[in-house]
Every structure is written in C-alpha cells, then in structure tokens.
Amino acid sequence: MSGRVLVGVKRVIDYAVKIRVKPDRTGVVTDGVKHSMNPFCEIAVEEAVKLKEKKLVKEVVAVSCGPQQVQETIRTALAMGADRGIHVEVSGKDYETLGPLQVSKIFAALAKKEQADLIILGKQAIDDDCNQTGQMTAALLDWPQGTFASEVSFEADKLKVVREIDGGLETIKINLPAVVTADLRLNTPRYATLPNIMKAKKKKIANVKPADLGVDVCSRLEVLKVDEPPQRQAGVKVETVEDLVGKLKEAGRV
Amino acid sequence: MTLFMQALRFSSSRLPFICRRSRTYSTEAGAIERVISAFRSVSGDEGVSVGSAVREQHGRDESAHRCRPPDVVVFPRSVEEVSALAKICHHHQLPIIPFGTGTGLEGGVGALQGGVCFSLRKMDQVLDLHQEDFDVTVEPGVTHRGLNSYLRDTGLWFPVDPGADASLCGMAATSASGTNAVRYGTMRGNVLNLEVVLADGTVLHTAGKGRRPRKTSAGYNLTSLFVGSEGTLGIITKATLRLFGIPESMVSAVCSFPSVQSAVDSTVQILQAGVPIARIEFLDDVMINACNHFNKLSYAVTPTLFLEFHGSSKNMEEQVSITEEITRDNGGSEFAWAEDEETRGRLWKARHDAGYAALALRPGCKAYSTDVCVPISRLPQIIVETKEDLIRNNITGHVGDGNFHCLIVLDPNDPDEVARVHSFTERLVRRALAMDGTCTGEHGIGLGKRALLREEVGPLAISVMQGIKATLDPKNLMNPGKVL
C-alpha cells in the first residue's frame, strides 16, 4: 500500500456569481468571471488532508485538468494541505468539450501511474452537475466506489463509507483501493491561510499531457444550445374562489 | 409618534438653523406621483416599487421599532443612478433613506416622514481586490459573509462581524463592530475610503478617488466623518476596506464562573496580561439557559465566558495557558475546547443565536437589544449593578472591549412593560455615562437614543454636529429624524 491519495479539484465559476448565457447560446460567459475550486472538491481535499493528519494516509496529490489557470486551483489545494500537484494540460476546444468520460480516463491512468490507494472526488461539479466522474473512474479501474459519502473511516484493511441516499443513510464497507465521492456533509473545509499559501508556493506541480497517459480527450458529445431557464411569470390575484377555479381550469390544471 | 414630535420640538427650538420645513412630505400625494416616472426613467420599471409589501419590507429593521414604510422604494444599479435619483429627490424635497440589508438594531431605516428608500442591494460587486496590499473595495450589496466567501482562496478575511450578515457599507454607516473587535477593531479603523452620494447628488470620495494607503495624515478625516453617520450625511455607494490575514490557528474555549464578578474580573485581567485575545464574550446565566434550550446544549447555567484565540500554532499554547491560569484563579471551570472549524462553529452558534434563543423563551414577544460601552475597568461594576436592576431579561456581550448588550424580551403590546423597559434602558445608559462610557458601543443612535446622545456629548458637540449636517444636507433630506 503506497498510502497515496489522489484528489480531483475542478476549476469552476464561483458559486456566488450570477451566470449569464452567451448571446450566441453556445455556452455561458466565462471571461472576466470569478472562478474558484468546486465546493465539493474543497470537501474532498479537506477529507484527504484530515486522513493525512490522522496518519491514515501518507501523501495527498491534487490533480486538475485544464488550461494554465487551473494551477491556481491546485495551489489552493496545496495551501489546504495537499503535498504536491499534477496539472493535466487540456486547453482550447478540448477543454471546452472536456467531460466526465475523458476526466475519468485520465484519473484511471494517473491512479495506475501513481499507484494510488484511494481517489477522492467531489460528488459533482456545480457547473455541469454531471455526478459521473467518480463512478466512471471506479468502473474503468474496476475498483469499488463509495459515493455521496458523508463519513469515511478505515476499519482494518477496509474502508467504511456512510452514504447519503434518498431514504436516509447507507453504510457500506469496501475494499481498497477505492473511489470515494464527497457529499456536502462530509466535513467543513478549512480556509487557506496566508502562511500556508506562502508554503504552498514551494510545493511542486508536475505537468502532464493526456497523450502521455494514453488518453484521447476527444468528446463524443456535442452541445447543441444553451438557454436560460424560462422567466418566472408574475402571479395573478383573483377575487373569489370561483375565479380561482376558473383560472386553474383555463391553465389545464384542474 | 408622540416621542418623535417632542424630540423635534426640543432640537428645533435650540437650533434655529435646522430647517423647519420638516413636515410630512408624503401627505402630498401628488408629489410622489410626479417623481415616480422620473425615477423609472433612471432605474427602469423594475427599479422602482410602490407595492405595499415592498415598502413595508423597507420600513423596518431587526429592532422592536414599528415599521415606518417609505412612499416608494428605488433599486439603483450604479452610483450614477444613485446620483440621478438623489438629484430628483433633492429637487422635489423628498426624504432619502439608504437601505442595505435591514439588519440594524436601532430603527435607522424607518421613514418617519415618508420619502424615498434607496435599496442598494443591486449594487453587489466586489471591486478592486489588492491581495498584496490587503485592501478591497465593495459595493453596498456585498455583505461581510459574502466578502469572506469571495476571499476564501486568498488567505485574507474581513474580521468585523456583527451578528447578522450585514451589508459592509451599512456597517460603515453605523460604525459597526463585532465579536472580534477586541483584536481587529471596529469599522472605524478598518475603512480606508468611501464613495458617498450627498443629498444633492454630488459624488464624493472621502479620501480621494481610488486612494487606499494604509495610513494618511492628509487633511480633515472625511472618511471617519461618514463612518457612523447612519445615512444622515450621505448614501455610501462604495467602501474600501482593510483586510487581514486569516490566522493559522483558531481555538475557541468556554469557561463558566461562579459569579458575574469573577467572569468579568477575568476579562479585565486577561486584557491586562497582554493576551492578544480575539474574542471574549460574556453570557449571563439567563442567557446560557436560553441558549441551552434553543440549541439543545448543556452548558452549566452560570455566568460564562466564550473565548477565542487567533495566532500561529506556537503562540497559541502560550496564550491559552496564561488565560487558563487567570480564569482558574478567579474560580473558573475547566475549559471546554474546540479547534476545528466545525466544532468551533457549533460553539459560537450558541452565542450568535443568543437573540433567537432569548425570543424562544417567550414566544410571541419581540427582542429589544440595547448596548452600552464603558472603560474596561468599570465593566465588573456596571454589569453587577445592571444585573440587580434587571427584571426578567438577559445579558450578553463583547466584554473584551467593555461593550455589553442587554437583550430584553418584551411584549410590545403591553404598554406597561414597554415603559418599564424604556426606563430600564435610560437607567442603564446613565449608569454607563456616569462611568465615562457611551450610550451605544456598536448599535448606533438611530431613532431611540437621540436624547441620550445629547446627554453623552453635551449640547456644544451636538451643535457642532448640527452645523456639519446643515453644511452637507441643508434641506435635511438624508434620513431625517435619526441621530440628531
């Protein structure tokens, strides 16, 4: 067991930004818009760093796929306590069409190359809401998966994961190596402090190309158009119950 | 209404140059109709509202003062719109009331004479962050939690934190403070520059446009003048703030004491020992009881101190051990600890929810909070005396800077109770003033403490303030009826 954990961190538009659709409806406006680490990825990094602090794992490696700017996101992970980073360079058209299938192929290849024991990812990204990368990565590696984790602990040589499901909480025990995806209540991520940001500048980020990992990032999907959600219509006040029923019938609701 | 009329007569008879034309403008219904189309041409149809629900929402804050809705609410999107709207109000002699998040505690947003509420929430951008210089400029729609969330990757934060998630420009307007003030100061020390729109639409940069040196000795300090002016001198449309590094380590602790005296004595000694403590909060036994019930906790029901230490992991140990020695010498209990984000959050939630916890003790009642501040050495005496004076209410507060709050739960429909609370507040303030203190540590004067301000600073200082007000707002349109 190498004691190595890979953590995926995705650079997304900050959750507090008001999203605007591009006039040509091919996507959303990203120029000049604040970006930050996907909140679920922050939780994943926090969990990995906590495991290292408890001496249950030895090394935390933060991985991000994208253009030059994703290095900022990796640096944030390093400031939170990750030991080193890997920047998988994907830019231009390839980056615009980068999705869970290609990313999971990249992670699977990296997991083998780095001999990782554990991969922790956020359960989904707040821009595409796919919720697929963790599951696909586990399938490609033929590893067990503990998704929507709200609690992770080691029991002997297995991983105990408490999962948030519709009906409540499900507890499973899975063999290592494994893939875990972090849900909201797994932990509260720490803030990167200035001293730690300074220290993080000295940590190494390796550059890798998808081709070096034998991964083809060509997308099988084509985005046809992107639209804003329909505008909310104003409500109508009615005077009597009869009016209300009449209006409901008109709208085909009754 | 009666109280207000008395105060108005009082002030205007002393100071003849205060504009006597402060009658109710709103009764002139025609005046409002004429300006609404002018407002719409500036801010668009969605930027102007006369709906009763919207007006009521903008006529109250989180105090027990009753709702005083404006005649119209406008939602400007830029400083240019604010200036244009202000010019219209100035021309038509309409009162202007700035509105941030409506989380004030002194009735500062009530439109006593009707008029136009300027709701600034659409101006919500964080502008010009300079990480290496530790400063940032924000618009009024940005709250302190919103800013700290924006800054979370940078290792910087803005530590002034009043209980509510208030607008930063609103916090500048009320010279707000928070639980961290003992270490990081209040808004007074942390606002570097302001962009303000005056009653006639003039846009003023108090320290010069775009300037953000960490210190200056250039000219009269206009920035400080507007900080704490509570919307009576101008509308703050931008604030340049001083940021701090997020401390490497934050540790919180709770310690209970056998008596109020021992808890407050510990506070004084901790500060005198030079411990750079970040927060010292005092909750009395009634408050702790309320918090226990509300948050399902089980703290001992006696006077308690909530403490927080910020620093590097190394000097943390030293700070904590000095403090523990002091509290132990005063009969304090063992510390209950918290170091990680989650546990600390739970610990402080108890303190931050104090208001709601108190309300939960008497459902259907309103919480009336009043705060005073005294030199730290007088704190034990004033708290003990106030406790004796209390009928059935709670004390909580940031004792680290001599500031404490009395949280009183009252039935606003019971005139006898209201009167008793009112006279209790006056006694409390007079007690604080007698100890060289102030009638408000951080809530501001607003509507209810104007007479007490006069007692505190004296008629001469009041007339100087009136002079400044008359210079900047000769028509008395800016938030009339507040502060002075």
Side-chain angles (χ1 to χ4, degrees), chain A residues 19 29 38 81 88 130 145 193-194 254:
Chain A
I19 306 289
V29 177
N38 181 39
V88 181
C130 283
Q145 56 188 261
T193 65
L194 269 183
V254 165

Tab-separated table of all heavy atoms in Angstrom, chain A residues 19 29 38 81 88 130 145 193-194 254:
chain	number	residue	atom	x	y	z
A	19	ILE	N	-24.884	33.692	-13.215
A	19	ILE	CA	-24.485	33.137	-14.517
A	19	ILE	C	-25.231	33.835	-15.638
A	19	ILE	O	-26.439	34.080	-15.537
A	19	ILE	CB	-24.809	31.625	-14.580
A	19	ILE	CG1	-24.183	30.913	-13.390
A	19	ILE	CG2	-24.357	31.014	-15.880
A	19	ILE	CD1	-22.700	30.796	-13.442
A	29	VAL	N	-21.061	32.830	-20.133
A	29	VAL	CA	-19.954	33.785	-20.136
A	29	VAL	C	-18.954	33.389	-19.067
A	29	VAL	O	-19.303	33.246	-17.890
A	29	VAL	CB	-20.480	35.214	-19.845
A	29	VAL	CG1	-19.322	36.183	-19.766
A	29	VAL	CG2	-21.482	35.640	-20.901
A	38	ASN	N	-14.353	24.019	-7.164
A	38	ASN	CA	-15.687	23.447	-6.974
A	38	ASN	C	-15.891	23.114	-5.481
A	38	ASN	O	-15.042	22.474	-4.871
A	38	ASN	CB	-15.775	22.174	-7.828
A	38	ASN	CG	-17.113	21.489	-7.734
A	38	ASN	OD1	-18.150	22.136	-7.694
A	38	ASN	ND2	-17.086	20.167	-7.669
A	81	GLY	N	-3.279	21.793	2.315
A	81	GLY	CA	-2.531	20.702	2.924
A	81	GLY	C	-2.136	19.581	1.987
A	81	GLY	O	-1.486	18.624	2.416
A	88	VAL	N	-2.885	18.368	-15.518
A	88	VAL	CA	-3.053	17.697	-16.802
A	88	VAL	C	-3.476	18.769	-17.803
A	88	VAL	O	-4.567	19.336	-17.709
A	88	VAL	CB	-4.116	16.578	-16.710
A	88	VAL	CG1	-4.250	15.871	-18.046
A	88	VAL	CG2	-3.751	15.593	-15.606
A	130	CYS	N	-22.860	16.834	-13.397
A	130	CYS	CA	-22.926	15.514	-14.017
A	130	CYS	C	-23.028	14.396	-12.989
A	130	CYS	O	-23.811	13.482	-13.159
A	130	CYS	CB	-21.706	15.273	-14.911
A	130	CYS	SG	-21.818	16.132	-16.470
A	145	GLN	N	-16.610	1.588	-5.172
A	145	GLN	CA	-16.876	3.019	-5.035
A	145	GLN	C	-17.784	3.297	-3.828
A	145	GLN	O	-18.720	2.542	-3.561
A	145	GLN	CB	-17.542	3.576	-6.291
A	145	GLN	CG	-18.819	2.864	-6.672
A	145	GLN	CD	-19.343	3.323	-8.026
A	145	GLN	OE1	-20.234	4.145	-8.079
A	145	GLN	NE2	-18.806	2.779	-9.100
A	193	THR	N	-4.866	29.639	4.793
A	193	THR	CA	-4.324	30.797	5.500
A	193	THR	C	-3.119	31.331	4.738
A	193	THR	O	-2.496	30.615	3.965
A	193	THR	CB	-3.880	30.422	6.914
A	193	THR	OG1	-2.795	29.496	6.807
A	193	THR	CG2	-5.011	29.786	7.682
A	194	LEU	N	-2.785	32.590	4.986
A	194	LEU	CA	-1.665	33.209	4.265
A	194	LEU	C	-0.356	32.436	4.447
A	194	LEU	O	0.332	32.170	3.451
A	194	LEU	CB	-1.470	34.654	4.730
A	194	LEU	CG	-2.246	35.714	3.943
A	194	LEU	CD1	-1.900	37.079	4.470
A	194	LEU	CD2	-1.928	35.619	2.468
A	254	VAL	N	-56.867	21.722	-13.682
A	254	VAL	CA	-57.965	21.070	-12.969
A	254	VAL	C	-58.931	20.471	-13.980
A	254	VAL	O	-59.213	21.093	-14.989
A	254	VAL	CB	-58.725	22.114	-12.097
A	254	VAL	CG1	-60.055	21.567	-11.648
A	254	VAL	CG2	-57.873	22.479	-10.900
